[in-house]
Each structure stands twice: as C-alpha cells, then as structure tokens.
Amino acid sequence: MKTYQGSCHCGAVRFEITTDFPELTQCDCSICRKKNALMVKVHESQFTLLAGEDYLTEYQFHTKTARHFFCKTCGIYPFHRKRVTPDNLGINVFCLDGLDPDAIPVRRAKGAAML
C-alpha cells in the first residue's frame, strides 16, 4: 500500500488516498462515458480530503445513490461515492500526482446495465 496525493486542475480540491492499485475501472454508464475517467476504488478509511470542501459541488442522477463530486472552479471530477458500495469512493486516477496508470489492469464495468 502506498499513499498518493491528488487534486482538481486548479488545485482548490486536494486529497490523498492509500491503495495498492489492484485494478482500475472504466465504467460505461452515461456519466462515466462522458467524463472518460479511469477510477480506482478505495474504502472511505483510505481517503482524506485535505482541502477544498467548500469548492466541491455534487451531482446525482437516476437513483441518486452515487454522489459525483466536481470542483466548482475548474469543473474537474476528482472522485465520487459509489452507488453499489457507498462506503467506497471511485477516485479519478488522472487527478493523482505522479501516477502513470498504463501498467495497471483495467476492468470494464457494466454500469449502463444497472437499473
């Protein structure tokens, strides 16, 4: 397990996670396809919001269970609280400092089929 720091584009929202990157997820639901993010799943105990709570805005749709967070200033999606496992977060790995995700296996999630 290693700790990584990340942020939105403007740096207003900053966070850190601890993970060993077992896999990344690319979801095919309507919002994930449009934001085109690769995500790593971490338990809420492995996530710390370091700064920018006031800069976060939330978007929910469909069942309104998943909670997608975006920076109000730059619009970047750094993370979301997951629908099926709400004690976990999906972290946009492209927001992590110094991470090259190319060597990490990617699982294709069938989010569009979830009703």
Side-chain angles (χ1 to χ4, degrees):
M1 299 285 268
K2 188 174 173 185
T3 300
Y4 296 85
Q5 290 198 353
S7 68
C8 62
H9 186 257
C10 71
V13 176
R14 293 182 307 131
F15 60 93
E16 71 179 20
I17 63 167
T18 302
T19 184
D20 59 358
F21 288 102
E23 67 181 8
L24 300 178
T25 304
Q26 184 176 44
C27 179
D28 70 353
C29 80
S30 59
I31 192 169
C32 287
R33 284 185 56 196
K34 290 181 186 277
K35 68 186 176 194
N36 196 31
L38 280 175
M39 297 165 284
V40 64
K41 178 177 162 181
V42 298
H43 189 268
E44 60 191 7
S45 64
Q46 297 172 303
F47 173 86
T48 304
L49 183 62
L50 300 172
E53 185 174 359
D54 293 343
Y55 287 90
L56 289 171
T57 190
E58 181 180 351
Y59 176 69
Q60 292 183 291
F61 67 103
H62 190 48
T63 65
K64 301 200 185 305
T65 306
R67 302 174 63 200
H68 301 264
F69 295 97
F70 296 84
C71 174
K72 290 179 190 178
T73 302
C74 66
I76 294 298
Y77 148 75
F79 55 86
H80 74 279
R81 185 160 296 274
K82 298 183 75 58
R83 175 182 167 191
V84 176
T85 53
D87 57 339
N88 287 270
L89 292 109
I91 308 298
N92 179 355
V93 298
F94 295 125
C95 289
L96 297 174
D97 300 333
L99 176 75
D100 180 4
D102 289 344
I104 304 168
V106 176
R107 179 178 61 86
R108 310 278 185 233
K110 303 288 185 195
M114 296 173 61
L115 299 175

